[in-house]
Amino acid sequence: IVLQELNLPFNMVYIDYGNKPNWFLQINPRGRVPAIHNPNVNSDINDKENGQSSSGITLYESAICNDYLCDLCRELQHQSLLVDKKVIATNNNNSSSN
C-alpha cells in the first residue's frame, strides 16, 4: 500500500509461507514477509544479519519497510528538485546571455 501511495515502482511477488523459494531465502535469510529488496543501494557493508550487502539492501518488518520507503521517496523528491533547479538555473543563464 505504501509503495502505491508513494508512486514508487515495484514488483510484487507472493511467497508461500510453508515453502519459501531459495532465491527469497538468499536475499532474506530470515525468510520474513513482508520484505523489500532494493538492489540499487550501494553499500560497502557486507552484513547479512542486518540485511545489508554489497548487492543492495533487504529489509523486513512492516514499520521498518514503511520508514525506509518514506525516506527513499523524500530523497528521490529532493534529488528531483535539485535537478529541476539546476535546469532552471541553466535555462535562466542561457536566456540572460541572449
Side-chain angles (χ1 to χ4, degrees):
I1 294 172
V2 172
L3 286 163
Q4 291 175 336
E5 288 296 319
L6 295 174
N7 292 318
L8 293 172
F10 67 96
N11 294 321
M12 187 179 334
V13 178
Y14 293 96
I15 301 294
D16 179 0
Y17 290 129
N19 187 24
K20 295 176 184 161
N22 286 334
W23 64 263
F24 181 72
L25 294 173
Q26 287 175 351
I27 63 167
N28 185 1
R30 292 185 179 204
R32 296 225 177 146
V33 176
I36 295 173
H37 179 70
N38 184 350
N40 300 318
V41 174
N42 293 327
S43 175
D44 295 332
I45 300 170
N46 192 2
D47 184 358
K48 292 284 187 186
E49 183 68 19
N50 292 321
Q52 295 183 347
S53 71
S54 59
S55 63
I57 187 169
T58 300
L59 302 169
Y60 49 87
E61 302 293 340
S62 296
I64 294 170
C65 291
N66 292 344
D67 284 344
Y68 172 77
L69 292 171
C70 289
D71 289 345
L72 178 64
C73 190
R74 268 194 296 281
E75 179 64 28
L76 291 173
Q77 288 174 343
H78 178 71
Q79 289 174 5
S80 177
L81 288 173
L82 290 177
V83 170
D84 288 347
K85 287 179 183 178
K86 193 178 240 183
V87 169
I88 291 169
T90 302
N91 287 340
N92 286 341
N93 289 339
N94 289 339
S95 298
S96 62
S97 64
N98 288 337

